[in-house]
Amino acid sequence: MAKNFKDLSEREILALAISNEETDGRIYADFAGRLKSDYPATAQIFKEMEAEEDNHRRQLIEEYRRRFGEHIPLIRREDVRGFVSRKPVWLIQSLGIETVRRYAETMESKTQHFYERAAARVSDASTRKLLGDLAEAERSHVVRADELKKEHLTAQVKADEEKAHRRLFVLQIVQPGLEGLMDGSVSTLAPVFAAAFATHNSHATLLVGLAASVGAGISMGFAEAATDDGSLTGRGKPLLRGFVCGLMTTAGGIGHTLPYLIPDFRTATAIAVVIVAIELLLISWIRNRYMDTPFLRAAFQVIVGGVLVFLVGIWIGSS
């Protein structure tokens, strides 16, 4: 059972502070290690912030030894109700470099705020001073982080890191997502419209479209995850790429399948054709935006292929 902060003894409060500094130091070290290859300047900032955390940890341990001896009880964040919590590092890093930077900034300010509120509720003078010192240490961390940012993140470095971030985003998210969207949007045209013109039945077409979309999504997802582990190409984690690719494949097929929820076959087909046109234009825009393909060329390539598959589906369904 988690304890309330107000129920902790001074010894437990100091042990909790030590545990807190150790955990934050490991988080910064993890950030630095993971960002070193693609964002070296930001990695250096986290390396120096780790050193700051380690210095405060040693000061806290010395204070603990002076007051309570050698044994430090194990008290973790989750053992104290209402204490600051941290999201998993892998979750934060998956959201992008700017999110990582902002998260690191809030780490210190949240801990500082907690210590300030805790100090206001403690009557013992020694403990109040301790909590005040910890709050001041966290405040100095925020200032130090700003100083390090100005020192390492020059305009040129920021520009280089933005280019690196865009490259990683394209490799790890856009490419598998675009591949899935193109496959889902184009490959399911033939079975959906073949079923539509063969049966003239919205419900039957809906079932065929759902089966084709979900099946294609599962197939593309597994194929993307299995073809490249990302260790040499830098395309990131295969499971993430497979999920993105599979999800976008399914979405691409379901887009022009859902209109067949409408019972009237002609109305559903007319809406599905409009959605197909929107899907193909969206694919063209993504290729232009992230792959540097001229929009007219991308639109021509995608629309010609899509129209051919569409006509094949109608021809087979009407035969």
Side-chain angles (χ1 to χ4, degrees):
M1 294 293 291
K3 296 180 66 174
N4 293 317
F5 184 82
K6 65 180 182 179
D7 297 328
L8 297 180
S9 65
E10 294 183 14
R11 179 182 182 182
E12 291 171 328
I13 290 173
L14 190 53
L16 178 62
I18 294 171
S19 175
N20 183 60
E21 296 290 346
E22 289 175 343
T23 303
D24 284 357
R26 286 196 296 269
I27 291 175
Y28 290 142
D30 200 357
F31 281 156
R34 295 185 182 216
L35 298 175
K36 184 177 181 179
S37 59
D38 296 306
Y39 307 101
T42 298
Q44 181 60 31
I45 291 175
F46 286 128
K47 192 68 178 175
E48 296 191 26
M49 292 177 70
E50 176 199 358
E52 292 282 338
E53 297 292 327
D54 186 62
N55 181 54
H56 286 108
R57 178 187 62 84
R58 284 188 279 105
Q59 292 177 0
L60 287 165
I61 291 177
E62 290 175 2
E63 175 68 10
Y64 183 93
R65 283 174 172 170
R66 185 183 68 82
R67 297 182 59 186
F68 303 111
E70 293 295 323
H71 175 68
I72 302 176
L74 176 61
I75 302 180
R76 301 163 297 179
R77 302 176 199 263
E78 57 269 28
D79 297 330
V80 181
R81 187 177 294 110
F83 197 69
V84 292
S85 60
R86 305 292 188 225
K87 294 181 180 179
V89 171
W90 62 266
L91 177 60
I92 298 301
Q93 285 195 231
S94 67
L95 299 179
I97 185 64
E98 283 301 324
T99 302
V100 172
R101 289 176 184 147
R102 289 195 298 268
Y103 180 76
E105 292 173 359
T106 60
M107 280 176 59
E108 305 297 340
S109 60
K110 284 184 177 180
T111 304
Q112 170 196 335
H113 181 63
F114 179 86
Y115 284 143
E116 288 174 342
R117 292 182 58 190
R121 296 198 303 266
V122 172
S123 59
D124 183 87
S126 178
T127 304
R128 182 184 293 271
K129 181 180 182 302
L130 172 62
L131 293 173
D133 290 343
L134 291 173
E136 185 59 35
E138 298 301 329
R139 186 181 295 107
S140 68
H141 282 188
V142 177
V143 175
R144 178 59 176 157
D146 290 338
E147 292 174 350
L148 291 173
K149 184 181 294 185
K150 293 177 182 179
E151 177 183 346
H152 294 287
L153 294 182
T154 63
Q156 183 59 46
V157 169
K158 286 184 178 180
D160 292 341
E161 290 199 348
E162 285 302 321
K163 289 181 182 179
H165 176 63
R166 176 184 172 86
R167 178 180 62 83
L168 290 174
F169 179 70
V170 170
L171 286 174
Q172 299 175 3
I173 302 297
V174 175
Q175 280 189 356
L178 179 61
E179 181 182 355
L181 184 61
M182 291 179 63
D183 184 87
S185 298
V186 176
S187 68
T188 57
L189 288 176
V192 168
F193 286 100
F197 282 86
T199 65
H200 288 75
N201 183 288
S202 290
H203 181 67
T205 303
L206 177 67
L207 295 180
V208 171
L210 289 175
S213 300
V214 175
I218 295 173
S219 176
M220 286 291 291
F222 274 100
E224 176 63 32
T227 54
D228 180 11
D229 64 4
S231 59
L232 296 178
T233 60
R235 296 185 65 214
K237 298 179 180 179
L239 290 180
L240 174 61
R241 294 196 329 271
F243 176 77
V244 171
C245 184
L247 181 64
M248 294 306 294
T249 301
T250 302
I254 284 182
H256 49 260
T257 296
L258 291 180
Y260 287 97
L261 288 168
I262 301 173
D264 183 72
F265 163 75
R266 295 183 182 275
T267 302
T269 301
I271 295 175
V273 170
V274 173
I275 291 178
V276 168
I278 295 174
E279 290 172 348
L280 297 180
L281 289 174
L282 177 61
I283 292 172
S284 302
W285 178 84
I286 294 175
R287 293 187 64 187
N288 171 255
R289 176 70 174 81
Y290 293 101
M291 304 301 179
D292 298 324
T293 305
F295 182 79
L296 292 180
R297 181 190 301 175
F300 178 78
Q301 295 171 346
V302 173
I303 290 175
V304 168
V307 168
L308 289 176
V309 175
F310 173 74
L311 293 177
V312 166
I314 295 177
W315 174 64
I316 293 176
S318 302
S319 61

